[in-house]
Every structure is written in C-alpha cells, then in structure tokens.
Amino acid sequence: MVALVACGEKKRPADAGPPSATPSKTDERVDSRPPPMHRPVPLWVNGKKQKDVDAATAAESGYVLLDLGEAWTPYIFTERGNEQEEAVPNTYRNTYLALAREEFPKNHHGARAERDKYLELYGILPTLSVLRSRFKSTLGLACAGTLDYQSLNEFEGFVVYRGNDLARRNARNFAVLERKVRELQQRHNLEDFEQLAALEALSDRDRVRVRDYRKWLPKVKAIRATQARLTCEGFYRDRNNYIRDAMGWVTHEALAEFERRHRVYGWGFIGKDTLAKLRLTPIELERESVIRILTERAMHAAGVIEDGSTSKGKDDQPRTFVGADGKPHPIPNLEEKLRREVIRAFGLSTTESTGRWLDSLGELKRGEHRFVAIKRPKLPEYYSGDMELSVAVNRGDVWYEFPFDEEGNERPQPVSRRPRLTVFTKYRDQKIPLARFGTTIGGWRSDNVDGSIMWKYKDSPTGPRVWHQIVASPVWLPPESTPPRSLLNRVPGKTGKKKYKVNYHETGPSYASAYGLVAAYHLKYVKGSDGTVHLGGDEGIRTHGSVDYMSIMRRHSHGCHRLHNHIAVRLMSFVLAHRPHKRVGQQQLKYRRFVEYEEHTYEMQIDEGGYVFQLERQVPVNVLEGRVRGRRKSPVTWPIPKYQADAGVYVVPDGGPVKVDRFGNITPTTWPVPDGGVLDGGVPFGPPGVPSPFPSGSPNPAFPGTRAPSNAFPRTNPSPPPPVPSSNATPRRTAPRVAAPGRRTPLRGRR
C-alpha cells in the first residue's frame, strides 16, 4: 500500500489564492472553500469599472469574484485556499501555468505540449495574455478579408480523410474535369456554368462531365475555402506541401490543429462543429475564445456546474424542483447565464469592444492574481457549502457477446444508448440532476495473459461505491508484467541506447497521462448500523480525465469512467467547492524500475504521486446496469485468443486452432485446409513442431466445455501491460490499448 502523506513546512509559494478573511455576517456562504479577505475589488458593469465592492462579502452580495491574473489555475492546482492557510505545494502547478502561457518546459511536458500546441481541449486553459496575443495577431491578418465564406455556408456535406493516394486521385480527376468544363464553356461562349448545364446541344459524354462537375463542385469549393483559411492563419506552417482541392494528410492534420485551438471535438474533417467554426471569421473565433475562457473561470469561481444538460426532460419541457415555497422552480443553465454576464460585464458584445477590453487590462504580470467582481446569476436554493451530492453512471447499451465471428469479422453490435455520468444533489427529499456528461465503460480489450496478447472483457462493476479522495495530477504505476517496449518512447534520429527514453506521459503527472489531470477513486464500502461508512477494497476503477477526447462515449475503456479533461477538472472542483475536505498534498513515492529493451537498460524513477484532497464525507457513486443487449447476459470471465488472418482461424497461445462463438465458448477445431483440400507434399497443415493443445485429458478450466493439457492456458490472472500511447482502440482495431487491472493502491488501476 502506498502511503499518503502531507508535505512538511515549505516556503511560501507564488500561489496565494484569494486573501484571507473574517467570516461574513450577511447570508450563509454556499462554498466549502476558504473565503477571501476584506478588501476592495473593482466591479465591472457594461465594459467599465463601476465601483469597488468588498471581496469578503462579494458572494453573499450576489457577485462572482473572478481572477483575471496570469497566476489563475483551477482550485485543484492551487496550494492553499487563502493567505491564512499554510501552503501545501502542488508540484504540477508550475507546469500547468507554463503550459497555459504556451511555454514549453525543457522536459517531457514541453516536448509533448509543443507537438499538441493548443491545449484547451486537453484541459489546460490559456491565460489572458495568450488570448490577447492571439487576438492581436489575428487582427493583423490581411488575408482574412479575402476568405471564401459563401462556399462553406452553402456546403452541407462531410469531407473525411481516406488516405493520400485517394486524395491525389480525386484532385487529379477533378482538375481534368474542371478543365474539360471550362473548354466547353469557351467553345459555347458561355461564362456561367448554369448556362452550360442547361445547354441542349451537349453530347452525352459532355453531359456526364457536367453532371459530375456539378456533383463534386460544392465539396471541392469547401475544401478550397478551408485550405485558404488554414493557409491564411498559418496552420500549414512547418508542414510539407498539401494536396490542393482534396483532403490529404497535411490538410487533415492542419484542420485538427485548428480544432484544438478553438476547442472543437473533431477528427480533423470538414463537417458539423468544425464547419460551423470555419463559417466564422478568424477574429470572431478569437472573441469566442476570450468569452469561453472567462466563462470557464467564472464557473470555477462561482462553484457551479449546471450547464443546461439536465435543464429539460425527455418531453423537452423544463425540468424543475420544488422549493421551500412549495412551487416548482426550473433547474437553471448557469453556464449560459454566466456567459451572458461575462459578455455584459466586460463589454464583449463585438470584436472591437473585446479588443478594447483586452487592451485595458494593461500589463499582465507572470505570477500575479488580479481579482475583479461581476454580477452572479441567482443560485438555486439547494446550494450550500456542504451539499448532499451523489453521482450515477448509466452504462447505456452493454454488449457482453464476443464481438467477432468465426472468420474474425466484426459482429454488428449497435449502440443507441451511450454511457452517461450524472451529478445529483438531494434537497427536500428530491434527487435533483445538476449536470450530465458523456463517459466511458469497459468492454473487450487486448490483455497480456502470461506473455500472450488475448481478448479480455474489462467490466465496469455495477452497484454502489464512494469517492473518498480526489487526486489532482494523478500518477499511474505500471505493474512488473508491463512489456518493456510500452514503457519507452522512440526518439527520432537516435540510435543505440538513445534510441528510446522512458515514457513518463503515460504514468503521469501529465495532461496526457492514463488518468488525465484529475481522478476520483471508486471504493467499495460497508455502512454500519449507526450510519458510519467503512471503506473497503479498491477495484482499480476511477472517474478521471482523458487526453483522448474523441474516445468519450465512442469507445471502451478498461473499466474506468473517462471524462473530457476540462469537464473532469470542472466536476472535481465543484465537488470540492461544496464538500468539506482536507488538503493532504503530494503523495511521496520511491518507485524505481529498470526497463531492459534491445540490450539496453533504462531507469524509470517516480518520486511523487498526485496531489490529494480527502473528502470529510464521501460522495456516493452508483454504477447502473444499463441495457444489456444480445443473448449473453453476463461478462465473459476468461481470455479469448486472437484471430490469425494468415492461418484463417483463432489460435490459442500454445499454437492450436479453436473456434469461438458469440458467447465466448471455445472449442478445438482442425487447421483450415488450403487450396481446396490439397496439402503441400503430404506435410500436415499446421505450425511445424507445435503439438495439438487439445489431446484427450483433463478439462481446461480456462475454457468451459473444452479439454486440453494442463499447460495449455495459464490458471493465474497475471497483470497486463500498460496502455499503448499510440493507440486506444476497441477490439474493432488491430492494436488496442491494454492496461493493468486494479491493485489495492491509490496509484494503480484500470483506465
């Protein structure tokens, strides 16, 4: 068991938080975090500083105390609540602030961030100085006035990347087609394409060309407009020449970078949310970024989480709760209300006024807090400093059946109900849903079984659990069974021992770690007759952030419930704002491991774990069964061998062929006979020197219904390797990520 210890006496950190205070004598506080001190702060109204208000009573007076300074971080990365508290240093804080300034430290944090470049999608919010710099640079883009928005507004399709070869072929074919159409227009003295399309004198061949041109033109025009936009804003900088008029790899990568800059959850394709952003001017998007970041800071400052996701019921009618007055009151969308107040308070209604407000901030000094007040939306009466919070995870549609058929092809397993995590509060005997987020559940994943990669169902256990602690910048320790290669990163251009280096991103702390920026640990518990909660075992299940933002709701985890990193940070900060807690501090470790690979040895050294907040009262979490689909109603508990395409059969670790049905039942079979039954030279078909793993003998306990020698499969359940950083696939892909099952330690677990 890894011990959790608080740090001792430390020097005063740069993070001071809001200055300390005497308690307010007005209304009761609705926040468990320490209050600010008595001091004047400017109140912003309609883009101007209207007057000063008292910071200590700002919340009770209906204001939000907002930090505009460069030293702002979410609460989970602070080192104390106010100046009266003793500082408990948070190691990852300085890294967070550097990345928020778009600086790249000379370590693995900087190397990864420099590649990702824009980190808002990964949970690192840019500072106001960064936003101001972007805003000014965008204002100076002379090319912005020449961009084609009409083609993007008219386009209603979807353009995806399907490979460079296809992109080049499409570009060449369209270029030929366009040249032929122009020749036709010149031949018939027509300037307008529509006149050419209506011309009756065209030959059948020319009509086909005109028809194909009309079909492809909207898509190509949208691609051209997108490529012109990416060129104008510099997203092709440092990239090789792109394939014009087609979705090649370079355009796909540049568009993905555009999405990261503007917090679009996309794949680097033209369509849906990405298309909506492309239809806005560059400076409009920069204004939107300023509003979005200020709104997120305001959500943290106000300690609210209602984002509209639970404001309406299934009938699209407002969802309500009954107040103390006996009347129904709607569950508000506080995020939208705060957004409107941010725009009104700072005068951000136009791009011009937004630019003026950014300039009015003057010098933004590194390490500085700058507190201001804005009006706060009225909070619902269920708010308090110790709310009766709970969490429910609905697993949605669950398939336990093995997802491949006898020939290794995917079985259809449609999912219409995706997994969701809902945050509730209890008020006046009502369970009120505050917010609902997309999440993940376990499923079929690759696992390392005694050195062989096999399929294993990674379940998300159902039933009641509790969150006992919240850990910022958590660390995952790989078990000894982890394959050495997966603990190393390839260093381009290097040879020998320098060819690889230890992969600390997967272990953390890092925004790209297995647990993201923050994790809450699920624990079993037993409730005594007096109501006392006795904590039980750790199954390795977490609710945590994830850098793989496109996997949320779309792919399986190894049992954990992933959230988008910024949502995980928002959720855990909200819990700490309304649940009394103790700031334990940094976990101290002495983890050493020597990784041997390709005749070289690499030392993995981890001296610190995450930063722990311990809740005084646990938060109940209930994982619901969901809707189990298919004919199998319980998880397969044994490993399933991989399908070997070259052999045309599933092959067990000892080399024997087997059949696998949808229930996971494994039965021995014979090797497929190639070429219509003709064997080569009388040699039995099958791997040379490998005996059949299924002679008559005792039953094989790993696979019910089969008989095999005792050494055909391991009887133990060894720990699998850590996740492979370059892949996060389900069994529908060939190289899925694998991770360790839970250990009774707050550092190890599933993902």
Side-chain angles (χ1 to χ4, degrees):
M1 177 68 73
V2 177
L4 305 181
V5 297
C7 297
E9 191 72 19
K10 297 290 192 296
K11 66 179 181 180
R12 182 184 182 89
D15 170 51
S20 59
T22 57
S24 168
K25 295 182 180 181
T26 58
D27 297 334
E28 179 186 359
R29 277 181 58 81
V30 295
D31 199 315
S32 67
R33 297 170 294 186
M37 67 171 283
H38 285 288
R39 71 164 184 177
V41 295
L43 173 66
W44 281 80
V45 179
N46 296 326
K48 298 179 181 179
K49 299 176 184 178
Q50 186 182 72
K51 62 179 181 179
D52 286 343
V53 298
D54 187 356
T57 59
E60 293 88 336
S61 301
Y63 302 120
V64 176
L65 200 62
L66 188 59
D67 185 1
L68 304 180
E70 296 291 283
W72 179 89
T73 66
Y75 181 74
I76 62 171
F77 297 120
T78 61
E79 297 178 317
R80 54 183 165 185
N82 64 26
E83 288 182 339
Q84 286 186 337
E85 286 192 348
E86 181 181 353
V88 182
N90 190 323
T91 303
Y92 193 72
R93 175 180 170 79
N94 287 335
T95 299
Y96 183 100
L97 288 172
L99 298 179
R101 295 191 298 265
E102 293 192 347
E103 297 174 357
F104 307 122
K106 300 297 183 182
N107 53 29
H108 68 283
H109 295 293
R112 170 69 190 247
E114 190 169 12
R115 185 171 73 251
D116 292 334
K117 196 168 184 178
Y118 301 112
L119 305 181
E120 186 183 349
L121 268 179
Y122 302 136
I124 308 289
L125 305 186
T127 65
L128 287 178
S129 63
V130 167
L131 295 176
R132 182 166 62 184
S133 177
R134 291 184 191 174
F135 196 93
K136 290 183 176 180
S137 297
T138 303
L139 275 177
L141 292 176
C143 55
T146 66
L147 297 176
D148 175 15
Y149 300 103
Q150 182 176 348
S151 296
L152 293 167
N153 286 325
E154 293 175 350
F155 181 65
E156 297 180 352
F158 198 76
V159 184
V160 303
Y161 170 72
R162 299 189 183 279
N164 272 346
D165 290 342
L166 180 60
R168 292 189 184 95
R169 185 162 63 252
N170 287 342
R172 287 195 301 267
N173 291 343
F174 185 81
V176 171
L177 190 60
E178 189 168 52
R179 187 179 70 251
K180 293 293 185 182
V181 168
R182 287 176 179 173
E183 289 174 355
L184 284 173
Q185 288 182 242
Q186 292 175 358
R187 186 188 310 162
H188 294 282
N189 295 319
L190 299 174
E191 295 184 359
D192 184 57
F193 169 72
E194 294 301 328
Q195 292 177 317
L196 177 65
L199 195 64
E200 295 182 0
L202 292 176
S203 66
D204 291 343
R205 186 175 183 180
D206 289 340
R207 286 191 182 282
V208 171
R209 287 171 175 162
V210 170
R211 181 200 64 193
D212 291 345
Y213 183 72
R214 183 195 293 276
K215 174 184 176 182
W216 284 97
L217 185 59
K219 177 182 288 188
V220 174
K221 288 174 68 175
I223 294 173
R224 286 174 176 170
T226 299
Q227 291 179 334
R229 173 71 171 269
L230 298 174
T231 300
C232 177
E233 296 192 64
F235 289 102
Y236 283 129
R237 189 181 301 116
D238 301 327
R239 287 187 167 91
N240 297 326
N241 292 334
Y242 60 90
I243 302 170
R244 285 164 173 75
D245 297 346
M247 180 61 78
W249 175 257
V250 175
T251 295
H252 164 62
E253 284 286 282
L255 193 56
E257 185 177 301
F258 171 89
E259 291 171 338
R260 290 197 298 274
R261 174 158 171 161
H262 300 295
R263 208 180 83 177
V264 177
Y265 294 102
W267 301 94
F269 303 151
I270 301 174
K272 297 183 179 179
D273 295 341
T274 304
L275 187 57
K277 296 291 186 181
L278 289 168
R279 289 168 175 166
L280 298 175
T281 66
I283 199 61
E284 285 173 332
L285 285 183
E286 295 309 319
R287 168 182 171 267
E288 177 59 31
S289 292
V290 173
I291 295 171
R292 187 173 61 248
I293 296 304
L294 289 173
T295 301
E296 191 66 29
R297 287 196 185 191
M299 292 281 286
H300 284 264
V304 298
I305 199 168
E306 294 91 329
D307 59 356
S309 56
T310 61
S311 296
K312 292 186 177 181
K314 292 182 180 180
D315 56 359
D316 206 35
Q317 295 299 310
R319 184 179 272 116
T320 61
F321 68 95
V322 178
D325 58 4
K327 298 179 180 179
H329 298 271
I331 299 174
N333 182 345
L334 293 179
E335 181 177 15
E336 180 58 33
K337 290 186 176 183
L338 276 171
R339 174 188 166 87
R340 290 200 297 266
E341 187 53 41
V342 162
I343 295 172
R344 188 186 72 85
F346 298 128
L348 309 179
S349 57
T350 66
T351 56
E352 293 80 9
S353 63
T354 301
R356 289 194 296 269
W357 180 78
L358 288 171
D359 288 338
S360 74
L361 296 177
E363 183 182 5
L364 293 167
K365 297 180 181 179
R366 180 178 301 190
E368 176 189 48
H369 293 279
R370 187 181 298 188
F371 293 99
V372 301
I374 65 173
K375 185 179 178 180
R376 185 194 66 194
K378 183 179 179 180
L379 297 182
E381 61 189 77
Y382 52 70
Y383 265 82
S384 73
D386 189 4
M387 297 171 68
E388 290 292 335
L389 300 175
S390 64
V391 171
V393 178
N394 189 326
R395 302 196 306 171
D397 285 346
V398 180
W399 287 87
Y400 292 130
E401 293 181 359
F402 186 59
F404 297 102
D405 63 18
E406 291 78 3
E407 297 179 350
N409 300 313
E410 294 182 46
R411 300 181 190 274
Q413 293 186 343
V415 173
S416 58
R417 299 179 185 176
R418 301 287 179 177
R420 302 276 183 173
L421 182 150
T422 305
V423 185
F424 294 91
T425 190
K426 185 178 180 181
Y427 176 70
R428 300 179 66 85
D429 295 325
Q430 302 167 88
K431 192 174 182 180
I432 305 170
L434 305 181
R436 181 174 294 116
F437 309 116
T439 187
T440 60
I441 60 171
W444 285 97
R445 305 305 298 257
S446 284
D447 206 358
N448 183 14
V449 180
D450 201 23
S452 297
I453 302 301
M454 304 178 74
W455 292 121
K456 189 73 183 295
Y457 192 86
K458 299 290 186 176
D459 195 23
S460 293
T462 59
R465 304 290 190 274
V466 293
W467 290 348
H468 170 62
Q469 60 184 21
I470 290 172
V471 181
S473 56
V475 168
W476 172 75
L477 298 182
E480 289 300 319
S481 60
T482 305
R485 175 64 184 89
S486 63
L487 298 178
L488 304 173
N489 276 337
R490 179 77 165 84
V491 181
K494 299 294 184 179
T495 59
K497 184 173 182 178
K498 295 183 179 180
K499 183 178 180 180
Y500 296 97
K501 61 182 179 181
V502 174
N503 177 16
Y504 285 112
H505 271 297
E506 191 70 16
T507 60
S510 168
Y511 67 86
S513 75
Y515 292 156
L517 286 172
V518 64
Y521 292 58
H522 293 223
L523 294 179
K524 291 182 174 181
Y525 69 96
V526 175
K527 206 169 206 178
S529 57
D530 60 352
T532 303
V533 173
H534 302 280
L535 298 178
D538 180 1
E539 301 167 286
I541 303 299
R542 319 283 186 246
T543 295
H544 63 81
S546 175
V547 69
D548 190 2
Y549 52 84
M550 293 306 290
S551 73
I552 309 302
M553 290 201 303
R554 293 176 173 87
R555 296 202 297 273
H556 293 129
S557 68
H558 294 81
C560 288
H561 308 293
R562 301 177 189 163
L563 299 169
H564 293 120
N565 251 339
H566 83 280
I567 291 295
V569 172
R570 181 193 291 184
L571 170 59
M572 301 311 169
S573 296
F574 169 78
V575 171
L576 293 174
H578 300 287
R579 204 67 155 188
H581 57 274
K582 177 183 178 182
R583 189 184 292 262
V584 177
Q586 212 77 47
Q587 296 169 314
Q588 300 302 303
L589 306 174
K590 286 295 182 183
Y591 179 84
R592 298 292 184 274
R593 177 168 178 173
F594 293 95
V595 182
E596 296 183 0
Y597 188 70
E598 292 187 353
E599 301 181 353
H600 296 289
T601 301
Y602 305 84
E603 183 181 7
M604 175 177 283
Q605 177 176 328
I606 302 176
D607 293 326
E608 287 186 331
Y611 191 90
V612 178
F613 295 90
Q614 186 168 308
L615 302 175
E616 292 185 7
R617 289 195 303 122
Q618 297 84 13
V619 173
V621 180
N622 191 21
V623 180
L624 306 177
E625 181 72 17
R627 182 174 66 170
V628 178
R629 303 191 64 177
R631 296 164 61 189
R632 184 176 182 95
K633 301 304 180 182
S634 62
V636 176
T637 58
W638 53 88
I640 304 293
K642 294 277 186 170
Y643 184 82
Q644 302 297 327
D646 54 348
V649 70
Y650 290 90
V651 180
V652 294
D654 283 3
V658 295
K659 290 182 178 180
V660 182
D661 66 17
R662 67 173 61 244
F663 300 100
N665 295 319
I666 300 174
T667 55
T669 186
T670 58
W671 291 101
V673 180
D675 300 327
V678 179
L679 298 179
D680 294 336
V683 179
F685 181 63
V690 178
S692 170
F694 294 104
S696 58
S698 58
N700 178 3
F703 306 110
T706 70
R707 303 181 74 82
S710 59
N711 63 350
F713 296 97
R715 294 172 183 263
T716 60
N717 185 21
S719 300
V724 180
S726 61
S727 173
N728 187 30
T730 65
R732 306 178 192 281
R733 300 180 183 266
T734 57
R737 303 173 77 169
V738 291
R743 289 284 189 266
R744 292 180 180 271
T745 161
L747 298 178
R748 302 183 185 182
R750 293 189 266 174
R751 308 192 329 159

